[in-house]
Amino acid sequence: VIFLDLGGNGPGLIAPDKASVPALDRGLLYGDGIFETMRSEGGQVPLLPLHLERLARSAGVLALPLPSSEMLSTATLAVVRSIPEPCQAIRLTVTRGVSAQRGYAPPELSRHTLLISAAPYRPPTEPIRLCTASSRIYPGSPTWQHKSLSALDKVMARAEAARAGCDEALLLNTEGRVVEASSANLFVRRGDRWYTPSLAEGCLPGVMRRQVIRLSQAAETRIDPADLHTADAVYLTNALMGCLPVVQIDHRSLPIRPLPRWSADLFTLG
Amino acid sequence: VIFLDLGGNGPGLIAPDKASVPALDRGLLYGDGIFETMRSEGGQVPLLPLHLERLARSAGVLALPLPSSEMLSTATLAVVRSIPEPCQAIRLTVTRGVSAQRGYAPPELSRHTLLISAAPYRPPTEPIRLCTASSRIYPGSPTWQHKSLSALDKVMARAEAARAGCDEALLLNTEGRVVEASSANLFVRRGDRWYTPSLAEGCLPGVMRRQVIRLSQAAETRIDPADLHTADAVYLTNALMGCLPVVQIDHRSLPIRPLPRWSADLFTLG
């Protein structure tokens, strides 16, 4: 089931194979939009307020039109509750909509296109094999810290990881330091201290990153690739899978440790 | 008029307000696709072979599915000839299509979504005011040299230029050197010698760039922002407008010179 709001005949729930967006939507033409990926459990989306907060912040910076949080919250829960699967991956997409004018320059006024879809989700249980991507993140990029539709770099990083027989791509910045994975933030444990790359390194301000920093009291810092091999453990985190250990980086093994005690609270608001 | 090939009921010409793509197309969800912008004149697209050559090269590198050049050529001309305007901006978009699996990782097999649209076009005649964008191009990026749907950086650079009262955004690379404008390549004249940033600087291999290098014998080199102010003239080029002089960079004036003699041949194949 997909919730679509294109501003035409009014929003509504539609079967996925019937749901479509205008061919001249700027989301398709220019990757001009943002999205959130969320996890639902038993008809609830526990971290929904954090997701909507980040979405609103990005929409503000990028001057994207955005429906109210109340509307987004109601529509998201309508999608979740329309299908029986207890655990779902929910995707909420907002674009700058259709514009009469051609070209990259965004129109001064626009109406959003909103799309919310759900897919059954089973959290992975196997530890992750990482592979360093050849692309680099420029920390000063004005768009990298937003979860945008312009994600071809991440698509290609994942294709590169798959070719190397790995599950995920490790992304470094143009300074050569560790930033994140293509769809997850990264945390390192040394003894009983936790560390994660600071936002200034170019990483996405993940909703689960925020939860893990709160629970683990992790320090935001600089991390070199070599630091990952001397750490006691390395984890990836995102709002779908929660927290999973990394077992290998570029085919070099890392020690696997049990998940930290606080991992039971990852999907609980603080 | 839009030509749409989604693989379902077969391709065809559709009115723009009726044309739509599946909501779960990877072009929309992840900016996972490429496009060409071409100029038609009197029912012809003079540089079509160069555009289709670049499109095929990018599709190869990004492992995107692509119809044959014959099919693309026929469909493009069908769109051009279905509307009476003598000069049009034609956009050809190819995405990785709809995939059953969620996430950035591209499916091993996919079927393209193809979209060709036309809009009336009147080439601009006013010289261009440039404004340096705050974003930087990383020359090693595996995706920047492709004209991809992941163009939010360019959208934001144009919004930044518009706020500064300028027409176009000048993009530098992470080394601080000149690369290109958001939708045009850049050429510099010193005496009777021509220069343009080399592809290694991170610029898009523009179809018009290729034409201008052939006609002007321009050298591909490194260009610093300060070099633009000591040049005899600076021009922007793309496959829609051809060649236009730059009159201002960051509100500092440049001398305006007449267009070079070879500019009459920009839309003629060599």
Side-chain angles (χ1 to χ4, degrees), chain A residues 167-228:
Chain A
D167 311 300
E168 243 286 23
L170 174 66
L171 295 165
L172 310 182
N173 63 23
T174 48
E175 307 292 314
R177 292 191 299 267
V178 171
V179 179
E180 62 195 358
S182 77
S183 62
N185 289 109
L186 182 142
F187 284 79
V188 162
R189 183 170 68 73
R190 290 185 181 280
D192 57 359
R193 302 289 310 261
W194 289 80
Y195 303 91
T196 194
S198 67
L199 294 182
E201 296 293 273
C203 63
L204 196 81
V207 159
M208 190 52 74
R209 176 181 182 274
R210 183 170 160 184
Q211 288 280 86
V212 172
I213 288 176
R214 181 175 60 78
L215 292 165
S216 69
Q217 304 291 316
E220 300 178 66
T221 182
R222 294 179 171 193
I223 297 177
D224 284 313
D227 297 337
L228 302 179

Side-chain angles (χ1 to χ4, degrees), chain B residues 84-149:
Chain B
E85 278 83 4
C87 186
Q88 304 163 23
I90 311 295
R91 176 170 161 140
L92 190 163
T93 305
V94 182
T95 83
R96 208 180 298 274
V98 175
S99 133
Q101 98 203 29
R102 230 188 36 74
Y104 293 128
E108 283 197 30
L109 281 176
S110 58
R111 194 196 185 279
H112 65 265
T113 290
L114 167 64
L115 174 71
I116 305 173
S117 61
Y121 180 70
R122 197 186 307 173
T125 51
E126 290 294 304
I128 295 166
R129 294 161 301 175
L130 275 182
C131 165
T132 306
S134 60
S135 63
R136 295 285 178 273
I137 292 169
Y138 173 60
S141 163
T143 61
W144 190 268
Q145 296 197 351
H146 305 286
K147 204 168 167 69
S148 90
L149 305 182

Side-chain angles (χ1 to χ4, degrees), chain A residues 19 21 23 29 31 91 143 149 153, chain B residues 21 23 29-31 91 143 149 153:
Chain A
V21 299
L29 299 181
R91 174 168 163 142
T143 60
L149 305 183
D153 268 332
Chain B
V21 299
L29 299 181
Y30 306 116
R91 176 170 161 140
T143 61
L149 305 182
D153 269 330

